[in-house]
Amino acid sequence: VNIVMRKNAPVENADGKLVMKVAEFAFLNRRKTLANNLNAGFHITKEQAESILEECGMLRTVRGEELNIEQFAQVAIALEKYI
């Protein structure tokens, strides 16, 4: 195993703690969509969660395991206005 420390964050303008919370909640319940998990984890409406995903150019049916770190950061940035 080789661990390489990054000099810069993989995504600028994103709150690292919120990105980690988004990633954590993305896997909150197995076989659930990201919208459902954001709804449950952040106590926002399902419509707001789906709006966040659409704003990020993602399908409403996307699941957490389909996202990369940059996409988690996009969701976190879009989510900030709802929490």
Side-chain angles (χ1 to χ4, degrees):
V1 175
N2 185 19
I3 298 174
V4 178
M5 296 295 291
R6 295 177 185 239
K7 292 182 182 182
N8 298 319
V11 178
E12 298 295 325
N13 302 324
D15 177 355
K17 289 181 182 181
L18 185 56
V19 173
M20 292 304 294
K21 276 292 197 199
V22 169
E24 176 185 336
F25 288 137
F27 299 99
L28 187 64
N29 294 306
R30 291 182 49 190
R31 295 187 292 262
K32 292 280 188 178
T33 63
L34 181 58
N36 283 331
N37 285 338
L38 292 175
N39 165 248
F42 289 103
H43 307 292
I44 60 175
T45 67
K46 186 166 181 184
E47 291 76 22
Q48 289 173 322
E50 289 174 349
S51 176
I52 289 167
L53 297 178
E54 289 175 10
E55 182 180 326
C56 296
M58 299 174 197
L59 297 174
R60 295 179 309 162
T61 57
V62 71
R63 298 181 188 281
E65 63 266 17
E66 299 175 43
L67 275 60
N68 60 37
I69 188 66
E70 288 83 9
Q71 291 169 315
F72 280 119
Q74 285 178 335
V75 171
I77 292 168
L79 176 68
E80 286 181 318
K81 64 183 160 203
Y82 294 100
I83 58 172

